[in-house]
Amino acid sequence: MTRIGVGGIFIECNHFAGHLADLSAFERSELLYGEELAAKNTGVIGGMVSVLEQEDWEPVPLLYASACPGGMVEARTYEKLKGELLSLLANADELDGILLCLHGAGSAQNAPDLEGDLVHAVRELVGDSVPIVATLDLHAHVTPELLTNADVLLAWETYPHADAFETGQRGARAIVDILAGRLNPVMAMAKVPVVVSAINGRTRLPGPFAEIMNEAKRIERQRDLYSVNPILVHPYLDQPDMGGGVMVVANGNLAEATSIAQSLAEQYWEKRFAFQANTLSPREAIGRGSQLEGGPVLLVETADCCGGGAAGDSVHSLRALLEIAPDSPAIVPVVDPIAAQMAYDAGAGRRVIIRLGHQVDPQWGEPINVEGVVSRLSDGRFTYQGGIWDGRSSCMGPSAVFEIGPIQVLISSNATYDWKTEQLDRLELDIPKSKFIVVKNPMNYQQAYSKVMKAAFILDTPGPTPVNTNSLTYTKMNSQWFPRDWTMMNTKPVVMSSTARYSPS
Ligand SMILES: [Zn+2]
């Protein structure tokens, strides 16, 4: 029976966030071994397993660890996860292939390029005769170490991300094709130094990234290429050679893969200005929203996006609401375990003064002292409704609704990913009745609130996931990149390529 090792470490990291991702971040999310891993029927791993079962092949579970985006992975946590994955791999009887679910923007204190380091270690263990296929988020930072040690890398094709299962299936089919002798994979990745926020990175038209995605898929079909994957690099890593671009997997023909990756990356460069967005201060946005009839008006505080690795603890928008719209019904999410504990200690129904905000990653602002009523308490457990974590349970930890007049603050203890409105629904917050809702992500709110929102204003506030990447202090990035330098002209893509290991039989 054909046996395929299945596992991975999946996390998106933020080098500007001050907090680390430790083992508890994975334990709260997903840390799967053995039967539990092999039985997964959702997400990337579920997609991989479904294809292996169709083939009557055996998925050999290694380790699968995933966590909500955060700061860097703590050194000893990465050491432990990597060590366990490798030792399970070393102790598995002979394997015919390896399938890994990775993000591509992971970074550990002791391995800045987490995925490159991990795949390199797996390659050293299994040698050149065992194919390694890995799936990535399209927000990956693809490095030469990752590209040369993997045989096939396939990225998600949707943002908002809705194709995790399908991408897992694509990954597993690539292993099937390699082992059947139908695929001799070669890869080329062309990058241009465009490091921009994901705010205009949706894959459905209109938008610059959607145009690149459509063109990539058109060429994939027309030229019968194995896969053409646009990559909008996660902009909050501070690494050399960052950039967006296109990764092409071809069957044997590296020259063709290279020229197509190159020409699509050139188109990416031409579209760079369209990735930028206009922003407002919280006060300007609230002022404009107040002029509109009804609500909800979304205040999009992207700089504090848990889904991009921020702590979620900002109160910049809340402060502005308290100053200029204290009588408007509003919902504001704030991650603050200390304030959540104070709410719990006070108890439901009690009026207290709470110190709130900027207590997880204090570098981006000052806490505020606010008086209000603890109206509800919750253990914070909820289930994701769709997206990459569809059906998976998650936990905000001890959480409270804290009412400052008509402004309801959802105080939670842990950062969680914003897919739809699961967290707000869990605490029974009334979305349609709100005049303002603070949302802390650059993309998913567009679908979550599409039917109810009156307007959405993109804010410019301090934080590690801002719309304007130019406001961050990168130290490892190459000196010239867009939008740091708006005058760069005629930039040619940098091309990397993989190693060919298998010949069609
Ligand atoms: Zn992503």
Side-chain angles (χ1 to χ4, degrees):
M1 193 183 211
T2 306
R3 305 173 75 242
I4 307 293
V6 179
I9 301 176
F10 181 93
I11 183 168
E12 179 179 83
C13 294
N14 186 313
H15 281 145
F16 302 96
H19 56 296
L20 294 173
D22 60 12
L23 193 61
S24 72
F26 292 93
E27 286 168 345
R28 266 202 309 277
S29 182
E30 273 180 312
L31 189 49
L32 306 179
Y33 304 86
E35 273 307 301
E36 209 184 349
L37 198 169
K40 215 171 139 50
N41 57 12
T42 58
V44 172
I45 297 280
M48 290 173 171
V49 169
S50 76
V51 169
L52 298 182
E53 281 172 351
Q54 280 162 22
E55 295 291 320
D56 226 355
W57 289 5
E58 183 189 349
V60 178
L62 303 171
L63 158 149
Y64 179 62
S66 85
C68 180
M72 266 189 291
V73 179
E74 185 195 42
R76 62 179 173 177
T77 297
Y78 179 58
E79 213 50 60
K80 175 184 159 63
L81 298 175
K82 175 186 170 187
E84 285 183 351
L85 191 147
L86 293 178
S87 96
L88 286 159
L89 185 58
N91 292 324
D93 291 334
E94 208 171 308
L95 296 175
D96 300 285
I98 310 286
L99 276 169
L100 298 173
C101 170
L102 308 174
H103 184 286
S107 187
Q109 285 177 304
N110 47 349
D113 170 18
L114 187 153
E115 292 83 2
D117 179 77
L118 184 68
V119 176
H120 187 172
V122 170
R123 174 62 70 195
E124 285 203 325
L125 201 59
V126 301
D128 274 344
S129 60
V130 177
I132 301 174
V133 174
T135 61
L136 303 174
D137 187 331
L138 59 81
H139 296 122
H141 170 48
V142 179
T143 63
E145 186 160 37
L146 175 58
L147 196 74
T148 53
N149 283 293
D151 295 299
V152 174
L153 297 170
L154 296 168
W156 301 348
E157 296 175 337
T158 60
Y159 183 55
H161 299 309
D163 60 336
F165 188 85
E166 291 76 7
T167 306
Q169 290 182 312
R170 287 164 63 214
R173 284 192 203 110
I175 284 268
V176 172
D177 290 338
I178 293 169
L179 293 179
R182 289 190 292 267
L183 174 63
N184 169 26
V186 286
M187 294 190 283
M189 163 97 202
K191 276 186 196 179
V192 285
V194 175
V195 180
V196 290
S197 128
I199 195 104
N200 287 322
R202 78 189 75 84
T203 51
R204 232 190 14 222
L205 290 166
F209 196 66
E211 290 167 12
I212 292 165
M213 184 62 78
N214 279 8
E215 182 62 4
K217 293 296 126 188
R218 190 186 68 77
I219 292 178
E220 180 185 290
R221 287 189 298 271
Q222 186 196 53
R223 305 286 285 266
D224 198 22
L225 287 154
Y226 198 77
S227 181
V228 182
N229 279 158
I231 300 286
L232 195 160
V233 67
H234 175 59
Y236 310 119
L237 289 176
D238 184 7
Q239 294 281 282
D241 304 318
M242 296 260 292
V246 175
M247 185 168 68
V248 177
V249 184
N251 195 354
N253 191 341
L254 183 60
E256 186 183 30
T258 303
S259 83
I260 285 165
Q262 209 156 4
S263 95
L264 284 166
E266 280 165 12
Q267 294 178 35
Y268 200 116
W269 176 251
E270 294 303 321
K271 294 182 196 298
R272 65 195 180 282
F273 297 103
F275 282 96
Q276 298 296 90
N278 292 325
T279 56
L280 299 174
S281 72
R283 296 178 72 103
E284 287 168 330
I286 295 163
R288 286 210 202 171
S290 299
Q291 307 289 314
L292 300 171
E293 203 178 310
V297 171
L298 304 188
L299 304 173
V300 185
E301 194 173 350
T302 73
D304 192 33
C305 172
C306 295
D313 64 348
S314 164
V315 291
H316 289 294
S317 300
L318 174 60
R319 183 184 277 116
L321 283 167
L322 291 169
E323 283 168 6
I324 62 172
D327 300 323
S328 297
I331 298 173
V332 186
V334 179
V335 177
D336 188 333
I338 300 170
Q341 188 59 51
M342 286 176 78
Y344 255 77
D345 291 346
R350 302 300 296 273
R351 175 171 287 274
V352 279
I353 295 173
I354 276 179
R355 187 173 164 81
L356 185 66
H358 302 287
Q359 304 202 84
V360 180
D361 188 6
Q363 62 185 315
W364 307 102
E366 293 290 324
I368 51 176
N369 291 312
V370 279
E371 184 178 340
V373 176
V374 179
S375 69
R376 288 193 283 295
L377 296 169
S378 160
D379 63 8
R381 289 185 191 284
F382 68 95
T383 302
Y384 286 108
Q385 312 285 330
I388 53 174
W389 283 321
D390 186 24
R392 212 195 69 194
S393 60
S394 185
C395 188
M396 295 179 273
S399 304
V401 176
F402 185 67
E403 295 184 350
I404 313 164
I407 298 176
Q408 298 188 303
V409 184
L410 194 177
I411 306 174
S412 59
S413 295
N414 306 319
T416 51
Y417 181 73
D418 288 305
W419 174 246
K420 287 190 178 153
T421 56
E422 294 93 336
Q423 295 92 333
L424 274 53
D425 299 340
R426 175 70 179 84
L427 273 296
E428 295 168 5
L429 291 162
D430 194 339
I431 290 170
K433 281 209 179 123
S434 301
K435 172 68 186 175
F436 293 104
I437 299 178
V438 173
V439 295
K440 294 181 169 179
N441 73 76
M443 179 56 62
N444 296 351
Y445 74 86
Q446 297 175 19
Q447 60 181 16
Y449 294 93
S450 62
K451 293 201 175 76
V452 294
M453 69 180 177
K454 203 82 187 171
F457 297 109
I458 314 298
L459 306 186
D460 183 15
T461 55
T465 52
V467 165
N468 179 12
T469 50
N470 212 0
S471 67
L472 296 171
T473 308
Y474 294 86
T475 60
K476 299 195 179 66
M477 205 126 89
N478 310 13
S479 57
Q480 279 199 307
W481 53 277
F482 179 84
R484 173 60 47 86
D485 185 347
W486 284 68
T487 63
M488 289 170 78
M489 302 285 283
N490 301 326
T491 295
K492 287 283 159 223
V494 172
V495 184
M496 311 178 286
S497 51
S498 69
T499 313
R501 293 187 180 82
Y502 311 97
S503 306
S505 52

